[in-house]
Amino acid sequence: MDGNGRWATQRGRPRLFGHHAGARRVREVVQTCPDIGVEYLTIFAFSTENWKRTQVEVAGLMSLFRRYITKEARTLHDFGARVRFIGDRVRLDKKLIDLMDELEVLTAKNTTVNLTIALNYGGRDEVARATKRLAQDVAEGRLDPANVDEETLPKYLDTYVLPDPDLVIRTSGEARISNFLLWQSAYAEYEFIDTLWPDFGREEFTALCANYGVRDRRFGGVKK
């Protein structure tokens, strides 16, 4: 969900104004999912690299996350969204972690759409944490190293209960993946679009998913 800061700057407003505008867009995109057949949606809210931003912006974002969860919890639940969070929670404050836990429990039985929020998430960090857990299981005899293959590591990732993404959309004109779902996106289709996230909505999301629907996905093979 990139481009919030630039969107605000273009309007002569502080960056946090753009983040608030971006947060309001999430509801529209989530509510579009069932209409176009999207069962799983993952949004990248805050990366492990975002701590490098100014203290004011980081503090503002953390406040926004707490406020968003508090404000949107009932709406998400009533809509039937099941919410999960991925990322390393250790660095987050306790109140935010408690709100995340409460929202996951509240929505645990919902089935309309699976919404995953990546918060303090980084692909490399996720793989490093997964590898540590895998290594610990090997060291303690719960896992035979001879049995470790490419199907093993995903069981230790934050996304172990989720399918790999089919389509990754990056807004704001940046043509890079920025440490997002590195392992899981090995065969995902990509869309890099110029639209800034606060301007991204139902119509463009629907069009991108429709375009994905006609792509020829061969996963390294050749169709006969």
Side-chain angles (χ1 to χ4, degrees):
M1 301 186 294
D2 197 20
N4 294 335
R6 275 167 283 175
W7 185 89
T9 300
Q10 290 174 1
R11 288 156 179 77
R13 304 297 296 272
R15 289 177 58 85
L16 282 172
F17 177 77
H19 292 309
H20 282 272
R24 290 192 293 271
R25 276 297 181 186
V26 173
R27 181 190 291 188
E28 180 179 344
V29 172
V30 170
Q31 292 181 343
T32 300
C33 288
D35 297 335
I36 60 176
V38 174
E39 298 180 9
Y40 291 86
L41 174 71
T42 301
I43 60 174
F44 202 178
F46 189 87
S47 76
T48 50
E49 290 75 33
N50 287 156
W51 295 103
K52 300 174 185 177
R53 297 185 178 186
T54 67
Q55 186 175 355
V56 170
E57 184 171 357
V58 170
L61 282 167
M62 293 301 153
S63 176
L64 172 61
F65 297 145
R66 291 191 296 270
R67 188 181 312 173
Y68 176 83
I69 293 173
T70 301
K71 179 182 177 182
E72 294 293 322
R74 179 52 55 182
T75 299
L76 289 167
H77 180 50
D78 291 345
F79 182 69
R82 178 169 186 177
V83 182
R84 297 178 176 89
F85 292 89
I86 58 173
D88 188 356
R89 303 189 186 192
V90 173
R91 196 169 177 179
L92 303 176
D93 69 73
K94 185 178 184 305
K95 183 175 181 180
L96 177 55
I97 295 172
D98 288 345
L99 288 170
M100 293 161 64
D101 290 340
E102 290 168 8
L103 184 54
E104 287 184 325
V105 172
L106 174 67
T107 64
K109 295 182 180 180
N110 292 342
T111 59
T112 301
V113 63
N114 291 272
L115 172 63
T116 302
I117 302 173
L119 187 56
N120 194 31
Y121 173 86
R124 288 181 173 180
D125 175 73
E126 178 189 27
V127 171
R129 288 186 287 107
T131 304
K132 287 180 182 178
R133 290 193 291 270
L134 187 154
Q136 185 172 359
D137 278 354
V138 169
E140 295 177 2
R142 291 189 293 270
L143 179 65
D144 183 347
N147 294 331
V148 174
D149 57 23
E150 66 179 68
E151 301 298 325
T152 307
L153 184 62
K155 298 175 183 177
Y156 292 84
L157 295 174
D158 297 351
T159 56
Y160 68 97
V161 296
L162 302 172
D164 287 344
D166 295 305
L167 173 65
V168 178
I169 301 169
R170 170 91 190 232
T171 59
S172 87
E174 302 290 352
R176 58 179 182 271
I177 58 176
S178 294
N179 206 13
F180 181 61
L181 298 178
L182 297 179
W183 178 279
Q184 301 88 334
S185 298
Y187 276 100
E189 299 289 315
Y190 281 84
E191 289 281 4
F192 298 102
I193 61 174
D194 293 332
T195 307
L196 303 179
W197 174 253
D199 293 325
F200 185 81
R202 174 183 293 268
E203 184 175 337
E204 191 163 11
F205 184 37
T206 300
L208 290 172
C209 288
N211 181 60
Y212 160 81
V214 298
R215 292 191 181 188
D216 182 15
R217 304 184 74 199
R218 297 184 298 276
F219 299 96
V222 177
K223 288 188 176 181
K224 295 181 180 179

